[in-house]
Amino acid sequence: MGRKGKMIEKQINSRYLNETLTLKIYQPETFSPLYKYQICIMQDGDDYYQLGRAATLSDRMHENGEISNTILVGIHYRDKFDRKRKYHPDGSQSPAYSKFLAHEAVPLLDDLFPTYLMGQSRALVGDSLAGTLALMTALHYPNTFGKIIIQSPYVDEKVKRTVRNAKGIHAIAIYHTIGTEETAVETTAGDKADFLTPNRELNRLLQVKNMDYNYHELEGAQHTWKSWQKDLSRAFTSIFNSI
């Protein structure tokens, strides 16, 4: 079955990153300039489209009325080194990448589409390191991004400290999942890391904040797209049912 909506590409020459980035934008089949739309920006964008089947899911959920009007935006990395530079909390380009999202990607999307022009209608989505980037960016720009979906994010002391000290975190709706089998995840550095324990610590930190927070441990799930893809419809329902 082919996609029913329309995929368009836009380039941004980022002054923060000194490079051109491509936004792959998916409009639902019923798109009309007469309606307003939520914006869902996915890091690891090609993976969310290809492995997460996000566009097909969007088709189905719009058709069934499971989510309100939402435009998907996928942004991909060049290679694993580029991904780490941009997404890792200590990545050399991580602050610049967050600025690119807030100050370049968002204004372009607001210009192109009939959006609500407010944080509660903009979501950042990511898996693993991309989830970390989504969380850290929203914490730095809570008025710009009011929703996040973080699937098995990488969590270290810097992430936990940022959450503890975050101002305006109550304004952000968070959907957070981790698999119970994510105890020895192979990292890009080639070693193994426990993702489950730090995610449980992150859960405890977020639970005490006064916010819309939805946490699930996926029984038996590992650090793979099979788990994230299966979980995506619940994530979208949780985050995009209304603004």
Side-chain angles (χ1 to χ4, degrees), residues 110-145:
D110 282 345
D111 205 36
L112 284 174
F113 301 107
T115 62
Y116 289 92
L117 303 174
M118 55 186 184
Q120 303 98 291
S121 64
R122 295 191 201 101
L124 291 173
V125 181
D127 63 288
S128 198
L129 264 187
T132 314
L133 185 277
L135 173 62
M136 297 291 272
T137 302
L139 293 177
H140 284 121
Y141 300 99
N143 298 323
T144 306
F145 303 104

Side-chain angles (χ1 to χ4, degrees), residues 143-185:
N143 298 323
T144 306
F145 303 104
K147 297 178 173 185
I148 53 172
I149 293 170
I150 49 175
Q151 298 182 291
S152 312
Y154 164 80
V155 178
D156 62 10
E157 288 308 317
K158 184 172 187 175
V159 172
K160 287 184 278 187
R161 191 169 63 247
T162 306
V163 169
R164 275 191 211 100
N165 300 333
K167 305 274 182 278
I169 193 169
H170 60 275
I172 306 168
I174 299 180
Y175 179 91
H176 175 198
T177 50
I178 185 71
T180 57
E181 300 296 305
E182 296 193 54
T183 50
V185 174

Side-chain angles (χ1 to χ4, degrees), residues 170-218:
H170 60 275
I172 306 168
I174 299 180
Y175 179 91
H176 175 198
T177 50
I178 185 71
T180 57
E181 300 296 305
E182 296 193 54
T183 50
V185 174
E186 280 194 37
T187 67
T188 39
D191 50 8
K192 288 192 182 337
D194 174 11
F195 271 55
L196 180 58
T197 307
N199 268 273
R200 284 176 169 166
E201 289 168 19
L202 176 62
N203 166 44
R204 285 194 288 276
L205 289 175
L206 289 169
Q207 264 183 344
V208 298
K209 305 278 185 182
N210 180 24
M211 64 194 297
D212 177 359
Y213 177 55
N214 209 326
Y215 174 74
H216 300 279
E217 290 192 0
L218 310 177

Side-chain angles (χ1 to χ4, degrees), residues 8 13 70 216 237 241:
I8 55 177
N13 295 315
T70 303
H216 300 279
T237 309
N241 53 8

Side-chain angles (χ1 to χ4, degrees), residues 24-45:
K24 293 184 181 174
I25 303 163
Y26 189 70
Q27 296 175 189
E29 185 183 17
T30 53
F31 176 81
S32 161
L34 301 176
Y35 305 137
K36 280 194 167 20
Y37 288 82
Q38 300 190 81
I39 298 288
C40 167
I41 303 176
M42 309 176 295
Q43 314 318 312
D44 283 355

Side-chain angles (χ1 to χ4, degrees), residues 16-30:
Y16 295 105
L17 294 163
N18 289 322
E19 66 175 282
T20 301
L21 292 98
T22 301
L23 276 56
K24 293 184 181 174
I25 303 163
Y26 189 70
Q27 296 175 189
E29 185 183 17
T30 53

Side-chain angles (χ1 to χ4, degrees), residues 213-228:
Y213 177 55
N214 209 326
Y215 174 74
H216 300 279
E217 290 192 0
L218 310 177
E219 209 52 52
Q222 298 182 340
H223 200 78
T224 64
W225 269 101
K226 188 181 172 189
S227 307
W228 300 325

